[in-house]
Amino acid sequence: MKVLVCRSLGDYLFDEVDADQIEGVHWDDESGGIHKKSGGHALYGYLPYAVVEELNVKCSGEHNWGNNGAKICIPASANKNEYKEGYQYLVKHAEEKPKSKISESRPEGWGPCTKTILSILSEEENFACERGELRKRIKNIGYEVKTFRGAIKSLLKQNKIMTEGNFSSPHQKIILRKNTK
């Protein structure tokens, strides 16, 4: 069984390894090497530096003290199709995946902030709301302001909402695109 590995989430250099070669499989939100933090947890494990230095991944070898392994990332997004079996094998050998920091700070009984925003907009006249008012309503539910900002960015990127006006203005209009919920 093969899997694709890289050094951290967001890397674009991947290489294939045997799943059985990877030791210490666990969920983490911090890479090895430069200790890059990510917003969520990904599957990580360790390979001998001699193996990693031969792979097409970002690894300088600077942390090779002779008796340790290089921490590598095994991202779910890369391990589809012929790599899915190896990925699922490694997931079974890892402890339970921790909840994300965002979901832990979510108000009890509420789903993701993005879905709450879409629901509010779908109930509004003209499917629109001013940014300041929407932020106030989201905050009153119990979401953090930074979660609101991230949700707005995500919804814009997904083309589920559009905006009119300056993003720093509380009077900016946030508008639900048609056929979106």
Side-chain angles (χ1 to χ4, degrees), residues 14 41 73-74 95 116 143 149:
F14 294 92
H41 289 86
C73 181
I74 311 131
E95 73 276 5
T116 304
Y143 292 97
R149 285 192 304 263

Side-chain angles (χ1 to χ4, degrees), residues 153-164:
K153 285 181 184 176
S154 178
L155 290 170
L156 282 167
K157 192 175 186 179
Q158 295 171 33
N159 213 21
K160 292 185 176 183
I161 62 170
M162 59 185 183
T163 59
E164 289 179 1

Side-chain angles (χ1 to χ4, degrees), residues 75-86:
S77 59
N79 285 286
K80 307 241 187 261
N81 303 322
E82 68 266 27
Y83 301 106
K84 188 174 184 176
E85 182 183 3

Side-chain angles (χ1 to χ4, degrees), residues 25-41:
V25 178
H26 64 283
W27 296 100
D28 206 341
D29 63 354
E30 185 176 317
S31 74
I34 61 170
H35 301 283
K36 181 179 176 183
K37 291 289 260 179
S38 61
H41 289 86

Side-chain angles (χ1 to χ4, degrees), residues 28-132:
D28 206 341
D29 63 354
E30 185 176 317
S31 74
I34 61 170
H35 301 283
K36 181 179 176 183
K37 291 289 260 179
S38 61
H41 289 86
L43 200 58
Y44 282 88
Y46 297 91
L47 287 169
Y49 267 95
V51 172
V52 176
E53 289 173 334
E54 298 297 317
L55 297 176
N56 185 32
V57 297
K58 293 179 182 178
C59 182
S60 66
E62 286 181 34
H63 305 102
N64 184 4
W65 296 294
N67 61 351
N68 61 323
K71 188 174 183 181
I72 47 93
C73 181
I74 311 131
S77 59
N79 285 286
K80 307 241 187 261
N81 303 322
E82 68 266 27
Y83 301 106
K84 188 174 184 176
E85 182 183 3
Y87 181 80
Q88 289 176 334
Y89 167 80
L90 292 173
V91 167
K92 287 180 188 174
H93 287 83
E95 73 276 5
E96 188 176 334
K97 185 176 182 179
K99 287 188 173 185
S100 71
K101 290 177 180 95
I102 290 174
S103 65
E104 285 179 347
S105 67
R106 187 179 294 154
E108 192 172 331
W110 290 86
C113 188
T114 51
K115 290 189 178 191
T116 304
I117 290 169
L118 293 175
S119 176
I120 290 170
L121 290 174
S122 70
E123 295 168 3
E124 288 295 310
E125 186 178 328
N126 299 322
F127 305 107
C129 191
E130 286 190 349
R131 185 182 194 96

